[in-house]
Amino acid sequence: MTPLRITGGTVYDPANGVDGKVQDICIEDGKIVNSVPQSARRLDASGMVVMPGGVDIHSHIASSACNQARRLLPEEHLRDPVPAPRLLERQDGPRSGTGGTVPSTFTTGYRYAGLGYTTAFDAAVAPLGALHTHLELDDTPCIDAGFFVLLGNDDFLLRQIAAGEQARARDYTAWLLQRTGGYAIKIVNPGGVEQWKNGGRNVNGLDDVVGSSNVTPRRILETLADVGNGLGLPHPVHIHCNNLGRPGNATVTLESMKAVAGRRAHFTHLQFHAYGDGPGGGAPGGWSSAAPKLIEYVNQHSEVSVDVGQVMFGAATTVTADSAVEYLLHASSGRKWVNVDIELESGCGIVPYSYREKAAVAALQWAVGLELFLLSADPWRVVLSTDHPNGGTFLSYPELIRLLMDRTYRDEKLKTINLRLLAGSALLDGLAREYTLNEIAIITRAAPARLLGLGAKGHLGPGADADVTVYSRNDDIAAMFATPRYVVKAGQLIVEEGQLRRAPAGARFSLAPQYDQSIEGHLKRHFEQYSSVSLANYGGRG
Amino acid sequence: MTKDKGTLPFRTCLGCGCTCDDIALEVAGGRITEAGNACDLGRAWFGDGVVPTKVLIGGKTATLEEAVDRAAALLAAAKNPMVYLAGDLTIEAARHGLSIADRVRARLDSPASDTVVAGLVAQQTRGRAAATLGELFNRADVVVFWAVDPAERYPRFRERYSADRKGLAAPEGRASRTLIAVDVGPSKGPKDADHRVSLTPEQEIAVLGAIRAAVAGRQQPEGRSLADLVDRLKKAKYTSLVYDAEPSGLTRSQVRVEALVALTQALNGPSRAALTALRAGNNRSGIEALSTWQTGFPFAVDFSRGFPRYLPEESASQLLQSGGIDLVLLAGSPATVPEAVRVGLGSVQVIAVGPRASEVSPGFHIAVDTGVAGIHEEGTAYRMDDVPIPLRLAFSGPPAAREVLQTLNLRVLANGGSR
Amino acid sequence: MADIVLTLKTALTHATDLSCVVPDRFAELSNLDLGNLPVWSAAAPRSPLRLGDLFAIEGERSSSVRVKGDCRLGDGLGREMRGGRLDIEGNVGSHCGTALQNGTIRVTGDAGDHLAGALPGASRGVVGGEIVVLGSAGAWVAERMRRGLVYVGGSTGEFAGRGMIAGTLVVGGQTGAGTGQGIKRGSLVSLGSIKPLDGFRLACTYRPPHVPLILTRLKMAFGARFTEAQVHGLYRRHSGDLAELGKGEILEWCTA
């Protein structure tokens, strides 16, 4: 690969302490290097902003659930046809596709690249569908990708907790990560999905019993947090708490954080878990923002990290392993609904949804997300996500960045929304903070990469992967972030003058932690009794 | 792992949508001598694993190189081509076929448009209340076979995934469960059902509506057997409702499947329930999954305008009969093509790439024999419940469909497609 | 603002996708732009024709559009229209007024299948506006309509009003099998003959107060014709479909 020098740009590389300094970025063999020969190709970035490629820590882009969602939404796809891009190199094989809230795979890759993102993680993959995720990722170009494996309602794991077999829980987790080619442990509504599948509605609190009296959401959180840290996984346990989307759920969220206190843990789409009862701690069933309370805890506990899961107004599709929640959303919205119970492991629920400015709860959700961002004391631990496509699609990130960087714009927007549930909220009282470009670089690349344990991502120091995004300055921050001028992926220029020009296949992140082989004997018996798939054929591509 | 002689465990059968992955293949001298654990259907699907290895152009022997050249030229020249992804293709092979369809701006279709179309569209308008097959035997205390006895076309469904298998909530298997048969005209449920309701085909949709109205408390069910059925469904902890998505004697209308989906969704509230659509095998479900992730639509995709459009109202057989298609790239086993499509193929030029393509009579314009997915070619297939299952090599055979389609895809790409 | 008038030059020979004919989108287009809009004929699916190849086009920049000529092979007119007026003097093919959002469509002749329908796989069809067909229509009229008014003066094929969520469908003539199947709410007014499905229950026979309003509106605005007895007469109210929600109604005009 020919060396490249990006010259004259204003560089934001927070991981290396570079905050808006004009300097060259040198690239050779897909890596950032200290220098390249004078003869190297030059890319003039004078007057432009240079950042590492974006890293999405939590997205739903490649899973059985995503594909169920795609299948459910032909009308969206009909309205957003995407002809094949005009690529420079034929072997990249440009492909057409469709968009909407859950785009086809090729379109997903192209659109991430077009946004300056070069790394993304699918946050919820049932092990039974891990092979499917690999197949989808094979058809998702331009981004390096990995996925998190659902474990918080896994029957074999819950049995180990019931029996107090911590070591076996650890071995099983390691085995499963290796077998599936996954990257991290994901917990979704611990115990709640199992409860839903077993005929109950859900769990309500951390100490509700799930089947065995030894198994509670609290024990699931503790066990898996310890397993993740004990195995030394690069990304700690990734937690979607109980009671998503319900008023008053901040209580259980805070208890969950305390349950794993002292352990590294990542709490995802915190916005969906940050609601109080009524204004001023009022009537149950009411809604209010509990963002200040939760973010205060996060600010004070350096072992905790979160992504926000911002809600953006417009069309979305809720896709989650938290099938108990989707039942409620279907019942209240009347929209079409997919529920798939996934044997012994997890669930899958899908309901198309729309967040409207004039709807009181949607407006509250929007405000709660912004409060989390604006009250965060440490951008390295509070990072950007919309839980794509749940809170909005990844195409809405530029608009979100504008809301964070431009108080005037934010206050104008605030005037157009339903304020019924926002009385007394921090946002309405006035939050003056405006994110800087350096902070945006932290919450969209440097911090997600660090939280994921990706040493070669999210920064521009020597040895880093040469994933670089170059933006033309624009007074409209959203326009600036929506259409990068250049994107370099693994040293290759994939976006030029705002146009996608190359679409190479991405790399895959997966782990192979060690485990005690005797776990396979236990699993063999378990599979013979309870699984529809032979152990030999289970889990995909490990 | 391949052997000259011995047992190959945990092989996967594509004989029906059950996609059983516990088959123990006995092989000797490049033949399958026994498919252990397989049912009759499965043994027939595996056969002896001996397939022809011919490449024919206009009925005359040719090289693979010549066939690919000729096929690429025909695809480039076609006015309105169709790519038809038939059965027994791995995902890894089919994705190249789909790619060709995109590049030459063809119509893409599969057996779905002539078989399970009603169910797929119903699932799009309504959604689903479903489960992977393992959940059925682990949870269900009530099993309803709606106008189907799986023994006929899905022989191992009950023993592996349903009424007869022991599971978490049904420690005694069949004895722990209530089995209900709903007969609709000639389509009857299993003989050993604990309860039986008999309907005429004309009554079916109305009765599904009446059950749903009763479950929701809007209407009292009429007649004792119906009242009894409603009562059992409401008291069930987890109902597994099973119907046959494949066409047979009954009309398989969208309205009917929607009524089944809607009833199952309605049961999730007072109780839990999952609807299972019994599907034929040959990795047909997988082709729909692949088409969905690459295009956004499960079948009936039209690339003629340079991007995918969804046209589910016109089936492949109707398109072929209307005379609009002038060339078909048929990928996969010709034996898995529905009869109406097979008739339509008689009137157009066909490039066939798949197992036993050379044996079809009258012959296709180009026929390239390939190995069979799961015997001579490894990869992935999907079960009827959209769960991916690996396919492994038993022994080598003709060129893999994946290689032939990939080569053709690259040739089409080098020619610049139709863009 | 003068109307845009499209006059068919020669008869259509193949099914032709005319879904570019959408008045609110015409409001911004010059006569030249209109002539260049792509249309697709089944005869050459990969090579679009231009609207100007098929129609003589008068006028520009208007959301009031008249189409003259026999368009029975023309599909998809007024698809997802958001406003304006589309007057078709003649017949139209299938999928006219799919997923209409606002505005009015009037057809003096007959319409094909899926009049006022839904996009494939969509849970909702027409969400607003009015569609009037003075002749007859094919199968699946007003499928999954959520809001709006659809009138067919003649007969309708099978499954008219199927899965309506709300809104009003008025049929002057005979209705086919399955009419009203799965409606949640909304009114299906039948002036011809209808046999309500099992999911409907006869609630009462009365003079529905909204029927005179609807029929008078159709008469004044679109030239539909009704007898005095239809406007002010008795109707049998069948409520259903109980399988869905049971809050819909079939209003069957009592001829005697």
Side-chain angles (χ1 to χ4, degrees), chain C residues 15-61:
Chain C
T16 305
D17 180 352
L18 296 179
S19 59
C20 68
V21 179
V22 183
D24 55 284
R25 271 167 252 167
F26 280 17
E28 305 289 314
L29 301 180
S30 70
N31 189 279
L32 192 67
D33 295 335
L34 291 171
N36 283 329
L37 285 173
V39 294
W40 279 268
S41 162
R46 295 195 290 180
S47 325
L49 303 167
R50 298 174 322 128
L51 190 62
D53 298 338
L54 301 179
F55 291 89
I57 305 171
E58 296 165 50
E60 59 182 0
R61 297 182 216 283

Side-chain angles (χ1 to χ4, degrees), chain A residues 7 18-19 28 103 152 168 245 281 284 316 329 335 345 410 455-456 474 490 534:
Chain A
T7 62
V18 179
D19 179 4
E28 192 162 17
R168 206 176 282 162
L329 192 60
R335 302 287 294 268
E345 294 180 352
R410 189 164 69 226
N474 189 324
S534 306

Side-chain angles (χ1 to χ4, degrees), chain C residues 72-116:
Chain C
R72 75 180 65 198
L73 288 173
D75 297 337
L77 285 96
R79 171 165 145 166
E80 297 190 80
M81 173 170 152
R82 290 161 188 265
R85 185 175 170 102
L86 176 60
D87 253 301
I88 296 151
E89 298 171 13
N91 303 318
V92 285
S94 68
H95 299 94
C96 177
T98 294
L100 180 76
Q101 299 186 22
N102 211 339
T104 62
I105 299 176
R106 176 172 170 270
V107 180
T108 60
D110 297 334
D113 291 344
H114 299 284
L115 172 74

Side-chain angles (χ1 to χ4, degrees), chain C residues 7-253:
Chain C
T7 308
L8 193 61
K9 288 178 179 171
T10 51
L12 299 172
T13 54
H14 289 79
T16 305
D17 180 352
L18 296 179
S19 59
C20 68
V21 179
V22 183
D24 55 284
R25 271 167 252 167
F26 280 17
E28 305 289 314
L29 301 180
S30 70
N31 189 279
L32 192 67
D33 295 335
L34 291 171
N36 283 329
L37 285 173
V39 294
W40 279 268
S41 162
R46 295 195 290 180
S47 325
L49 303 167
R50 298 174 322 128
L51 190 62
D53 298 338
L54 301 179
F55 291 89
I57 305 171
E58 296 165 50
E60 59 182 0
R61 297 182 216 283
S62 169
S63 60
S64 187
V65 179
R66 281 192 289 149
V67 179
K68 296 182 179 180
D70 186 352
C71 291
R72 75 180 65 198
L73 288 173
D75 297 337
L77 285 96
R79 171 165 145 166
E80 297 190 80
M81 173 170 152
R82 290 161 188 265
R85 185 175 170 102
L86 176 60
D87 253 301
I88 296 151
E89 298 171 13
N91 303 318
V92 285
S94 68
H95 299 94
C96 177
T98 294
L100 180 76
Q101 299 186 22
N102 211 339
T104 62
I105 299 176
R106 176 172 170 270
V107 180
T108 60
D110 297 334
D113 291 344
H114 299 284
L115 172 74
L119 291 170
S123 56
R124 297 168 178 176
V126 167
V127 295
E130 296 170 318
I131 299 182
V132 168
V133 173
L134 297 178
S136 291
W140 299 79
V141 173
E143 185 188 3
R144 300 177 208 280
M145 173 160 64
R146 180 143 181 275
R147 200 180 297 124
L149 171 63
V150 177
Y151 169 70
V152 178
S155 62
T156 53
E158 59 178 11
F159 290 111
R162 150 131 174 89
M164 266 168 52
I165 302 163
T168 304
L169 169 62
V170 181
V171 182
Q174 306 266 83
T175 52
T179 295
Q181 201 277 329
I183 69 171
K184 278 187 168 165
R185 296 188 197 79
S187 268
L188 204 163
V189 181
S190 165
L191 304 174
S193 69
I194 190 163
K195 188 172 169 292
L197 295 164
D198 285 356
F200 289 82
R201 293 283 176 272
L202 180 62
C204 60
T205 301
Y206 75 134
R207 293 176 205 282
H210 55 300
V211 167
L213 300 175
I214 295 165
L215 298 193
T216 305
R217 158 95 186 134
L218 288 168
K219 206 152 129 183
M220 305 296 285
F222 300 101
R225 291 186 187 169
F226 306 103
T227 65
E228 192 60 14
Q230 288 172 329
V231 178
H232 296 291
L234 285 168
Y235 285 78
R236 274 187 283 275
R237 183 183 196 274
H238 307 271
S239 52
D241 182 332
L242 290 169
E244 283 294 336
L245 194 61
K247 293 188 176 172
E249 61 181 13
I250 290 176
L251 296 175
E252 180 190 13
W253 180 52

